[in-house]
């Protein structure tokens, strides 16, 4: 059988489709993406946060950024809201806490990347409940225009969470069709 790992790391042309050099529109929004720079913009953002340099971190984002931190109930839209979010987060982080990037899916030319990360203390010890996943998308200027961060929850509901999901699915049957939920 063919080596699945080799196929995953093969260039797009080896996988049976030709890469386009032109910017393209993404299903995540109407921004036109620049190719091959998302992972660098994301690394620069994390570098700014680790240095507690909000200006440097913000410089990696577009003015119309949509930033989703799933620890919080609502998206941050625009740099003003994002600045407030970063400042609030940095005030709450212990001194010396650093974000360490474990793995990055390098931007293969589609203007998007993902990464997983964790936090460490100044002494290099893993900080509890600090793992996370992030997804980033850049615009034509190479600025992050969409971000979704999914930090590890401190409370892990396990099978209780599955029971609530099952209950929620059951209850959804009784909601009138006239009720419309916002799209994610």
């Amino acid at each position: 059988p063919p080596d699945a790992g080799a196929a995953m790391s093969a260039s797009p042309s080896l996988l049976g489709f030709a890469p386009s050099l032109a910017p393209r529109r993404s299903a995540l929004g109407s921004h036109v993406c620049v190719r091959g720079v998302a992972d660098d913009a994301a690394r620069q953002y994390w570098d700014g946060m680790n240095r507690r340099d909000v200006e440097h971190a913000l410089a990696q984002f577009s003015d119309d950024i949509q930033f989703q931190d799933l620890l919080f109930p609502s998206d941050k839209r625009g740099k003003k809201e994002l600045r407030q979010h970063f400042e609030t987060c940095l005030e709450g982080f212990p001194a010396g806490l650093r974000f360490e990037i474990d793995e990055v899916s390098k931007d293969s030319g589609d203007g998007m990347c993902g990464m997983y990360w964790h936090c460490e203390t100044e002494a290099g010890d893993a900080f509890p409940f600090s793992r996370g996943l992030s997804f980033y998308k850049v615009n034509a200027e190479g600025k992050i225009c969409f971000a979704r961060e999914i930090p590890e929850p401190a409370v892990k509901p396990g099978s209780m969470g599955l029971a609530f999901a099952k209950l929620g699915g059951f209850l959804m049957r009784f909601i009138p069709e006239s009720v419309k939920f916002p799209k994610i």
Side-chain angles (χ1 to χ4, degrees):
D3 180 9
M8 293 300 287
S9 63
S11 71
S13 59
L14 294 177
L15 294 175
F17 54 92
S20 169
L21 297 177
R24 65 178 185 83
R25 295 210 176 262
S26 165
L28 291 173
S30 60
H31 296 283
V32 176
C33 298
V34 68
R35 301 172 103 41
V37 300
D39 55 301
D40 184 55
R43 287 178 190 275
Q44 289 296 318
Y45 151 57
W46 284 108
D47 176 62
M49 292 301 282
N50 279 338
R51 292 186 288 118
R52 308 302 200 254
D53 184 347
V54 172
E55 293 306 319
H56 180 80
L58 282 173
Q60 312 315 310
F61 292 90
S62 65
D63 290 338
D64 61 345
I65 177 65
Q66 178 184 358
F67 190 95
Q68 299 175 338
D69 182 336
L70 299 187
L71 278 182
F72 295 86
S74 61
D75 294 1
K76 310 315 176 238
R77 294 187 181 268
K79 283 189 174 180
K80 180 180 178 184
E81 287 184 18
L82 190 56
R83 174 187 302 281
Q84 292 170 337
H85 177 67
F86 286 170
E87 289 172 350
T88 298
C89 288
L90 288 174
E91 286 172 15
F93 294 156
L97 188 75
R98 293 186 48 81
F99 292 91
E100 296 294 333
I101 298 170
D102 297 311
E103 295 285 337
V104 176
S105 65
K106 188 161 177 62
D107 178 351
S108 62
D110 59 3
M112 295 181 256
C113 77
M115 62 177 53
Y116 66 90
W117 45 267
H118 71 280
C119 293
E120 291 183 359
T121 64
E122 274 182 299
D125 298 321
F127 196 75
F129 308 114
S130 69
R131 297 176 296 180
L133 299 167
S134 298
F135 173 81
Y136 304 99
K137 181 178 153 211
V138 296
N139 64 14
E141 289 78 40
K143 302 292 185 185
I144 301 170
C145 59
F146 177 84
R148 179 175 291 159
E149 297 190 346
I150 309 168
E152 176 180 17
V155 176
K156 300 180 188 319
S159 58
M160 179 70 91
L162 296 174
F164 280 125
K166 188 173 184 176
L167 176 63
F170 173 77
L171 293 174
M172 291 293 288
R173 296 184 204 169
F174 301 101
I175 296 175
E177 288 185 28
S178 60
V179 174
K180 301 294 181 200
F181 293 96
K183 292 191 178 207
I184 297 175

